[in-house]
Amino acid sequence: MSLFISSLNSGSNGNCYYIGNDREAVLVDAGLSCRETEKRMARSGLSMEVVKAIFVSHEHSDHIRGIANLARKYQLPIYITNKTLLNSRLSIAEHLVKSFAGFQTFQIGNLTVSTFPKFHDAIEPHSFMVSYNDINVGIFTDIGGVCENVISHFKQCHAAFLESNYDDELLDSGTYPYFLKNRIRGGMGHLSNEQALDLFKVHRSPQMSHLLLSHLSKNNNNALMAQRLFQEQATNVKVVIASREIETPVFEIGAVSELLFTEQSRVPQL
Protein backbone atom coordinates (compact mmCIF):
# COMPACT_ATOMS: atom_id res chain seq x y z
CA MET A 1 0.00 0.00 0.00
CA SER A 2 3.04 2.25 -0.47
CA LEU A 3 4.69 4.23 -3.25
CA PHE A 4 8.29 3.47 -4.21
CA ILE A 5 10.42 6.28 -5.59
CA SER A 6 13.88 6.76 -7.03
CA SER A 7 15.75 9.38 -9.01
CA LEU A 8 17.53 7.56 -11.83
CA ASN A 9 19.42 10.77 -12.63
CA SER A 10 18.91 14.44 -11.92
CA GLY A 11 20.75 17.34 -13.53
CA SER A 12 21.46 19.09 -16.78
CA ASN A 13 22.99 15.86 -18.12
CA GLY A 14 19.70 13.98 -17.79
CA ASN A 15 16.57 13.70 -15.65
CA CYS A 16 14.42 10.66 -14.94
CA TYR A 17 12.25 9.95 -11.90
CA TYR A 18 10.55 6.65 -11.00
CA ILE A 19 7.32 6.52 -8.96
CA GLY A 20 5.25 3.37 -8.55
CA ASN A 21 3.43 0.92 -6.33
CA ASP A 22 4.13 -2.83 -6.27
CA ARG A 23 2.28 -3.41 -9.57
CA GLU A 24 2.70 -0.38 -11.82
CA ALA A 25 4.89 2.68 -12.15
CA VAL A 26 5.43 5.80 -14.21
CA LEU A 27 8.52 7.68 -15.24
CA VAL A 28 8.54 11.45 -15.14
CA ASP A 29 10.85 12.49 -17.97
CA ALA A 30 13.41 10.22 -19.60
CA GLY A 31 16.56 12.20 -20.20
CA LEU A 32 18.89 9.19 -20.11
CA SER A 33 19.36 6.82 -23.03
CA CYS A 34 17.11 3.77 -23.15
CA ARG A 35 20.07 1.51 -22.32
CA GLU A 36 21.21 3.64 -19.37
CA THR A 37 17.67 3.84 -18.01
CA GLU A 38 17.39 0.05 -18.14
CA LYS A 39 20.80 -0.37 -16.53
CA ARG A 40 20.05 1.91 -13.61
CA MET A 41 16.64 0.38 -12.98
CA ALA A 42 18.14 -3.12 -13.03
CA ARG A 43 20.78 -2.13 -10.49
CA SER A 44 17.96 -0.93 -8.23
CA GLY A 45 15.91 -4.09 -8.65
CA LEU A 46 13.27 -2.18 -10.63
CA SER A 47 11.72 -3.47 -13.84
CA MET A 48 10.69 -1.65 -17.00
CA GLU A 49 7.88 -4.21 -17.27
CA VAL A 50 5.92 -2.43 -14.53
CA VAL A 51 6.39 1.02 -16.10
CA LYS A 52 3.09 1.86 -17.76
CA ALA A 53 3.65 5.45 -18.98
CA ILE A 54 6.09 8.34 -19.27
CA PHE A 55 5.01 11.88 -18.40
CA VAL A 56 6.98 14.67 -20.07
CA SER A 57 7.52 17.97 -18.26
CA HIS A 58 8.96 19.95 -21.19
CA GLU A 59 11.00 19.65 -24.36
CA HIS A 60 14.58 20.35 -23.20
CA SER A 61 16.92 17.54 -24.26
CA ASP A 62 17.94 16.57 -20.72
CA HIS A 63 14.33 15.51 -20.13
CA ILE A 64 13.45 13.72 -23.38
CA ARG A 65 16.64 12.08 -24.70
CA GLY A 66 15.49 8.49 -24.13
CA ILE A 67 11.78 8.85 -24.73
CA ALA A 68 11.50 7.78 -28.37
CA ASN A 69 13.47 4.56 -27.89
CA LEU A 70 11.75 3.67 -24.62
CA ALA A 71 8.33 4.27 -26.17
CA ARG A 72 9.18 2.15 -29.21
CA LYS A 73 10.77 -0.74 -27.31
CA TYR A 74 8.17 -1.05 -24.54
CA GLN A 75 5.17 0.41 -26.38
CA LEU A 76 4.75 2.96 -23.62
CA PRO A 77 2.17 5.73 -23.83
CA ILE A 78 3.82 9.14 -23.68
CA TYR A 79 1.84 11.87 -21.92
CA ILE A 80 2.93 15.16 -23.46
CA THR A 81 1.30 18.47 -24.37
CA ASN A 82 0.73 19.21 -28.05
CA LYS A 83 3.11 22.17 -28.11
CA THR A 84 5.79 20.26 -26.21
CA LEU A 85 5.57 17.40 -28.72
CA LEU A 86 5.85 19.82 -31.63
CA ASN A 87 8.86 21.61 -30.16
CA SER A 88 10.59 18.42 -29.02
CA ARG A 89 10.66 16.95 -32.54
CA LEU A 90 10.29 13.53 -31.00
CA SER A 91 9.36 10.68 -33.31
CA ILE A 92 6.66 8.76 -31.43
CA ALA A 93 4.05 6.46 -32.95
CA GLU A 94 0.71 8.25 -33.03
CA HIS A 95 -1.08 5.58 -30.98
CA LEU A 96 1.41 6.10 -28.13
CA VAL A 97 0.95 9.88 -27.89
CA LYS A 98 -1.42 10.92 -25.11
CA SER A 99 -2.01 14.66 -25.10
CA PHE A 100 -2.69 16.51 -21.89
CA ALA A 101 -3.23 20.02 -20.62
CA GLY A 102 -2.86 21.64 -17.23
CA PHE A 103 -4.98 20.58 -14.26
CA GLN A 104 -5.88 17.17 -15.66
CA THR A 105 -5.69 13.86 -13.83
CA PHE A 106 -5.00 10.46 -15.34
CA GLN A 107 -5.41 6.93 -14.02
CA ILE A 108 -2.45 4.70 -14.74
CA GLY A 109 -3.68 1.47 -13.21
CA ASN A 110 -4.12 2.36 -9.55
CA LEU A 111 -1.89 5.43 -9.80
CA THR A 112 -3.37 8.90 -10.23
CA VAL A 113 -1.19 11.46 -11.99
CA SER A 114 -2.10 15.14 -11.71
CA THR A 115 -0.68 17.75 -14.07
CA PHE A 116 -0.21 21.47 -13.45
CA PRO A 117 1.57 24.35 -15.24
CA LYS A 118 4.74 25.93 -13.86
CA PHE A 119 7.20 28.73 -14.71
CA HIS A 120 10.10 27.65 -16.93
CA ASP A 121 11.59 28.80 -20.22
CA ALA A 122 9.95 26.09 -22.29
CA ILE A 123 6.94 26.20 -24.57
CA GLU A 124 4.38 24.57 -22.24
CA PRO A 125 6.07 23.33 -19.05
CA HIS A 126 4.24 21.21 -16.47
CA SER A 127 4.91 19.46 -13.21
CA PHE A 128 3.23 16.40 -11.75
CA MET A 129 1.97 14.75 -8.60
CA VAL A 130 1.59 10.97 -8.43
CA SER A 131 -0.89 9.58 -5.92
CA TYR A 132 -1.82 6.13 -4.64
CA ASN A 133 -3.75 5.05 -1.55
CA ASP A 134 -3.84 8.70 -0.34
CA ILE A 135 -0.03 8.96 -0.65
CA ASN A 136 1.24 11.86 -2.76
CA VAL A 137 4.64 12.30 -4.41
CA GLY A 138 5.41 15.57 -6.20
CA ILE A 139 7.98 16.24 -8.91
CA PHE A 140 8.97 19.91 -8.73
CA THR A 141 11.98 20.54 -10.97
CA ASP A 142 12.88 23.09 -13.65
CA ILE A 143 10.88 25.80 -11.94
CA GLY A 144 11.66 29.49 -12.34
CA GLY A 145 9.53 30.64 -9.43
CA VAL A 146 7.30 29.29 -6.69
CA CYS A 147 3.78 29.86 -7.95
CA GLU A 148 0.46 28.93 -6.35
CA ASN A 149 0.29 25.73 -8.40
CA VAL A 150 3.56 24.54 -6.91
CA ILE A 151 2.59 25.57 -3.38
CA SER A 152 -0.83 23.93 -3.43
CA HIS A 153 0.56 20.60 -4.62
CA PHE A 154 3.68 20.69 -2.43
CA LYS A 155 1.47 21.08 0.64
CA GLN A 156 -0.10 17.69 -0.10
CA CYS A 157 3.09 15.69 -0.50
CA HIS A 158 4.40 12.81 1.56
CA ALA A 159 7.58 12.99 -0.52
CA ALA A 160 8.91 15.31 -3.19
CA PHE A 161 11.60 15.69 -5.78
CA LEU A 162 12.35 19.40 -5.29
CA GLU A 163 14.70 21.44 -7.43
CA SER A 164 17.53 23.13 -5.53
CA ASN A 165 19.58 24.19 -8.50
CA TYR A 166 22.05 26.86 -7.43
CA ASP A 167 23.63 28.79 -4.59
CA ASP A 168 23.39 32.54 -5.14
CA GLU A 169 26.99 33.27 -4.14
CA LEU A 170 28.41 30.47 -6.26
CA LEU A 171 26.38 31.62 -9.25
CA ASP A 172 27.52 35.23 -8.78
CA SER A 173 31.18 34.31 -8.52
CA GLY A 174 31.10 31.66 -11.24
CA THR A 175 32.22 31.79 -14.85
CA TYR A 176 28.82 31.73 -16.51
CA PRO A 177 28.17 34.71 -18.81
CA TYR A 178 25.87 37.43 -17.52
CA PHE A 179 22.95 36.47 -19.79
CA LEU A 180 23.04 32.86 -18.58
CA LYS A 181 23.11 33.90 -14.93
CA ASN A 182 20.07 36.06 -15.61
CA ARG A 183 18.34 33.19 -17.39
CA ILE A 184 18.89 30.86 -14.43
CA ARG A 185 17.60 33.26 -11.78
CA GLY A 186 15.24 35.35 -13.89
CA GLY A 187 11.94 33.79 -12.88
CA MET A 188 11.72 31.33 -15.79
CA GLY A 189 14.85 29.28 -15.09
CA HIS A 190 15.57 27.40 -11.89
CA LEU A 191 15.04 27.55 -8.13
CA SER A 192 17.92 28.54 -5.86
CA ASN A 193 18.70 26.73 -2.63
CA GLU A 194 17.11 29.55 -0.66
CA GLN A 195 13.95 29.65 -2.76
CA ALA A 196 13.52 25.89 -2.42
CA LEU A 197 14.26 26.05 1.29
CA ASP A 198 11.61 28.73 1.81
CA LEU A 199 9.04 26.53 0.05
CA PHE A 200 10.06 23.60 2.24
CA LYS A 201 10.02 25.52 5.52
CA VAL A 202 6.73 27.30 4.98
CA HIS A 203 4.63 24.82 3.02
CA ARG A 204 5.71 21.25 3.73
CA SER A 205 3.00 19.03 5.12
CA PRO A 206 3.24 17.32 8.54
CA GLN A 207 3.20 13.94 6.78
CA MET A 208 6.24 14.62 4.58
CA SER A 209 8.89 11.96 5.17
CA HIS A 210 11.35 12.29 2.23
CA LEU A 211 12.74 15.23 0.28
CA LEU A 212 14.96 14.50 -2.72
CA LEU A 213 16.91 17.61 -3.67
CA SER A 214 17.02 17.58 -7.44
CA HIS A 215 18.60 19.18 -10.51
CA LEU A 216 21.61 20.54 -8.59
CA SER A 217 23.98 22.54 -10.79
CA LYS A 218 27.41 21.00 -11.27
CA ASN A 219 29.08 24.44 -11.36
CA ASN A 220 26.87 26.63 -9.16
CA ASN A 221 26.03 24.43 -6.20
CA ASN A 222 27.57 22.18 -3.59
CA ALA A 223 25.68 19.02 -2.71
CA LEU A 224 26.91 18.75 0.88
CA MET A 225 26.16 22.40 1.53
CA ALA A 226 22.66 22.09 0.09
CA GLN A 227 21.88 18.93 2.04
CA ARG A 228 23.11 20.48 5.29
CA LEU A 229 21.04 23.62 4.64
CA PHE A 230 17.84 21.58 4.35
CA GLN A 231 18.65 19.01 7.00
CA GLU A 232 18.90 21.75 9.62
CA GLN A 233 15.23 22.52 8.95
CA ALA A 234 14.08 18.96 8.30
CA THR A 235 12.83 17.50 11.56
CA ASN A 236 11.48 14.00 10.76
CA VAL A 237 12.19 14.44 7.04
CA LYS A 238 14.95 12.47 5.32
CA VAL A 239 16.86 14.77 2.94
CA VAL A 240 18.56 13.05 0.00
CA ILE A 241 20.63 14.44 -2.86
CA ALA A 242 19.42 13.23 -6.25
CA SER A 243 22.74 12.73 -8.01
CA ARG A 244 23.64 13.74 -11.55
CA GLU A 245 25.86 10.62 -11.80
CA ILE A 246 23.98 7.67 -10.31
CA GLU A 247 20.55 6.54 -9.22
CA THR A 248 19.39 7.05 -5.66
CA PRO A 249 18.27 4.14 -3.50
CA VAL A 250 14.62 3.19 -3.75
CA PHE A 251 12.55 4.68 -0.94
CA GLU A 252 9.21 3.46 0.35
CA ILE A 253 6.69 6.21 0.98
CA GLY A 254 3.69 5.32 3.05
CA ALA A 255 2.25 5.23 6.53
CA VAL A 256 5.61 3.97 7.75
CA SER A 257 8.31 5.18 5.38
CA GLU A 258 11.67 3.50 5.33
CA LEU A 259 14.75 3.03 3.19
CA LEU A 260 14.09 -0.19 1.31
CA PHE A 261 17.70 -1.19 0.99
CA THR A 262 21.21 0.06 1.56
CA GLU A 263 23.25 1.47 -1.26
CA GLN A 264 25.72 -1.37 -0.69
CA SER A 265 23.21 -4.19 -1.14
CA ARG A 266 21.12 -2.75 -3.99
CA VAL A 267 18.47 -5.42 -3.34
CA PRO A 268 14.99 -3.90 -3.10
CA GLN A 269 12.29 -5.64 -1.12
CA LEU A 270 9.47 -5.27 -3.64
Side-chain angles (χ1 to χ4, degrees):
M1 303 297 283
S2 301
L3 279 174
F4 304 99
I5 68 171
S6 177
S7 168
L8 301 183
N9 201 78
S10 188
S12 59
N13 61 334
N15 297 272
C16 187
Y17 307 102
Y18 175 100
I19 308 98
N21 57 30
D22 56 356
R23 295 179 182 177
E24 60 247 333
V26 297
L27 297 180
V28 171
D29 294 333
L32 301 172
S33 69
C34 177
R35 180 177 298 179
E36 188 64 23
T37 301
E38 293 169 329
K39 183 190 303 182
R40 295 188 182 201
M41 288 186 63
R43 284 198 302 244
S44 296
L46 301 172
S47 171
M48 278 299 303
E49 298 305 321
V50 303
V51 175
K52 305 303 182 185
I54 301 175
F55 283 78
V56 183
S57 65
H58 63 291
E59 72 272 17
H60 293 164
S61 62
D62 55 321
H63 295 260
I64 65 171
R65 191 174 293 115
I67 284 175
N69 287 339
L70 285 167
R72 187 180 305 113
K73 182 172 182 178
Y74 294 99
Q75 289 298 289
L76 287 171
I78 306 301
Y79 288 77
I80 188 168
T81 73
N82 290 330
K83 290 182 180 179
T84 298
L85 178 61
L86 180 64
N87 278 264
S88 70
R89 301 183 180 179
L90 287 169
S91 177
I92 305 170
E94 186 175 348
H95 73 282
L96 295 176
V97 175
K98 307 297 181 184
S99 298
F100 76 84
F103 307 111
Q104 285 189 274
T105 59
F106 297 93
Q107 284 300 129
I108 309 297
N110 290 309
L111 303 176
T112 302
V113 182
S114 305
T115 73
F116 55 95
K118 63 183 178 182
F119 293 126
H120 193 54
D121 56 356
I123 190 67
E124 213 167 38
H126 284 75
S127 280
F128 308 99
M129 187 171 72
V130 181
S131 304
Y132 169 66
N133 192 35
D134 296 322
I135 304 162
N136 303 315
V137 174
I139 303 89
F140 308 95
T141 70
D142 295 76
I143 295 173
V146 177
C147 64
E148 285 302 316
N149 294 341
V150 169
I151 291 171
S152 64
H153 287 84
F154 189 79
K155 284 180 174 180
Q156 303 174 52
C157 287
H158 295 73
F161 300 89
L162 176 61
E163 175 171 82
S164 191
N165 180 255
Y166 66 93
D167 171 77
D168 279 298
E169 291 185 5
L170 289 178
L171 181 63
D172 282 335
S173 62
T175 60
Y176 280 13
Y178 183 70
F179 79 88
L180 184 53
K181 293 179 181 181
N182 281 346
R183 178 251 164 184
I184 291 169
R185 59 159 50 119
M188 298 297 285
H190 296 280
L191 288 187
S192 69
N193 292 344
E194 289 296 337
Q195 288 172 311
L197 182 63
D198 284 345
L199 174 66
F200 177 64
K201 289 193 300 184
V202 176
H203 297 294
R204 77 174 183 265
S205 67
Q207 67 263 28
M208 179 171 280
S209 63
H210 289 72
L211 183 74
L212 280 69
L213 299 181
S214 304
H215 216 306
L216 273 69
S217 170
K218 180 180 180 180
N219 298 309
N220 302 309
N221 212 339
N222 178 289
L224 291 177
M225 176 181 67
Q227 186 173 29
R228 186 164 53 247
L229 184 69
F230 279 80
Q231 198 64 68
E232 289 172 353
Q233 305 291 332
T235 305
N236 299 323
V237 179
K238 183 175 182 65
V239 178
V240 179
I241 297 295
S243 170
R244 57 185 292 116
E245 304 297 338
I246 192 170
E247 68 278 7
T248 68
V250 177
F251 297 98
E252 180 177 4
I253 312 301
V256 179
S257 297
E258 61 180 340
L259 177 63
L260 289 182
F261 56 92
T262 66
E263 290 192 57
Q264 290 75 25
S265 69
R266 295 281 176 189
V267 180
Q269 301 170 4
L270 294 180

